Structure formats: structure tokens, C-alpha cells
Amino acid sequence: AKMSMLRIANYLLRRLSASHHTVLCGKVMMFLAYAFPLSERSGVNLLGAYNDENTTEFEDQETFDQAQDEQVATPVAESSGAGNPLVNYALYQNFWQLQSFFAAKPTRAPQGCVSSAERWSSFAEVTTVVLSAFE
């Protein structure tokens, strides 16, 4: 019964357009997250496969500021009445710095967030800044 439910949910996710049916896709994923434990075999990377070719190109301060100036102001992108964008370059850097903590292989442990006390405190600080921006 669990496997058939998983197959149906995965089939539904493949059939739905992620750009047009985002709410339904999110609800299906939330259902799967609540229905199956984290240790479920289908959700665990058993082979330990990593994407070593993933590189993220970061914008410099000038390119980021130009993109912010060109972007059309929306109610989501504006702060409450002040007219200042909520996303600044510091938040941009912190948000993408989280990728370095999560993308670290076990063989590259010095890059992970639990490799040392300094890395853990840096991870906690960056996470706090990013999460506070989304509150």
C-alpha cells in the first residue's frame, strides 16, 4: 500500500507542471513528507551519489545592484512602506553561502557544517540571518 501511494504521488508530480501547478505540487510533496518517515528507503541517497559538477556563479556587488535597479518593483519585493528592497547583497551572499554547507560530501568534510566549531557557528549565524529575512 505504501509503494502504490508513493508511485501515484510520483506519477502525479511528473505529470504536473512545476511552473503552472506549484500549489498542488507543494501539497503533494507536503503529503509525502508527512506520510513517510525521513528514513524511508525511497528518500535516502543509498548510493551516496553527489553532483560534483555543480558550480554556482555568484554576482558581484555591481551586477547585483544593476539587476535590482532593473527589476520591476512588486509588493513582495518591497518592504512595508519604506521603499527599500528586502533583498540586499548581504542577504544574497548569505543565502547562497548555505549551499556550501549542504553540498559538502562526507569525503570533503572540512567544507561541511559539522566539521568544526567555527564552521558550525558560521552555519548557525548564516542560517539565522536567512531565516529572519523570510519571517
Side-chain angles (χ1 to χ4, degrees), residues 66-135:
Q66 288 174 354
Q68 287 293 323
D69 291 340
E70 293 171 1
Q71 185 178 14
V72 177
T74 61
V76 174
E78 294 292 325
S79 63
S80 58
N84 297 327
L86 289 175
V87 178
N88 56 16
Y89 190 68
L91 177 62
Y92 170 81
Q93 281 184 315
N94 286 329
F95 181 80
W96 288 107
Q97 186 181 0
L98 285 175
Q99 183 178 0
S100 67
F101 294 113
F102 294 126
K105 279 185 176 184
T107 57
R108 294 189 307 200
Q111 296 177 358
C113 62
V114 295
S115 60
S116 68
E118 295 85 22
R119 291 286 290 172
W120 178 256
S121 63
S122 174
F123 170 72
E125 182 179 317
V126 169
T127 304
T128 303
V129 169
V130 171
L131 290 179
S132 67
F134 287 103
E135 289 180 342

